[in-house]
Amino acid sequence: MCNDFGNKVPYAAYVEALAQLKIPLIQPDLIPNLEPREDIRPTDKAPVLKGRDDGKAEFAQMKWGFLPGRPKAAPVINFRSDGRTFDKGRCLVPASHFFEFTGTKYPKTKWKFMLPDEDWFAIAGLWRLQETPDGPQERFTLLTCEPGPDVAKFHDRQIVVLDRKDWAAWLNLSQPMGGVCRASPEGTFKVEQVVR
């Protein structure tokens, strides 16, 4: 279960990548100045690209983790994609890297996963507008699937990292999406142990 990822992606990189893929981006009135972050943890705010019925992408910053269905439960930070289709609330969660942890005693060994040939990638996510004690709030969760070979030795699940060719279809809510939530093939990730 992914409970830590990083995002060092400048806003201009989102604009450029979406333009190359011919995905119209609804630009905010004020261009955000995004601080590079090595660690984003549950309930932190993070940049998200929301899908729309018209195929456009909308930039937002929202908290990681759906509100739990029962009192005192943890936020839903990961959501199983297995055998499901998602007709609404699809989003891309940009990331430079993500972490997995091994071991049974604290501090666990921390492993950093990156793409060897790209500065960043997008995780398949879902977003919802939820009622909180502070009023309505947009929140997101990350989709997971069975692990590919690069992740399987570290964890029994992996986040869904979408191929760039699938971004437009994932963001276009007028199109049904199935089959893209799959494990990453061997050699997708470069893995490094984080020295504490």
Side-chain angles (χ1 to χ4, degrees), residues 71-90:
K72 298 186 180 178
V76 179
I77 60 171
N78 297 141
F79 193 88
R80 286 179 175 257
S81 66
D82 312 58
R84 294 183 166 120
T85 57
F86 303 99
D87 299 326
K88 60 181 182 175
R90 296 192 303 250

Side-chain angles (χ1 to χ4, degrees), residues 164-178:
R164 284 199 181 206
K165 66 180 175 53
D166 294 324
W167 290 9
W170 183 257
L171 288 173
N172 189 342
L173 301 183
S174 67
Q175 297 184 18
M177 281 310 297

Side-chain angles (χ1 to χ4, degrees), residues 65-79 128 130-131 139 141:
F66 286 167
L67 296 174
R70 58 186 194 281
K72 298 186 180 178
V76 179
I77 60 171
N78 297 141
F79 193 88
R128 300 286 183 264
Q130 297 189 304
E131 279 300 326
R139 301 178 74 101
T141 190

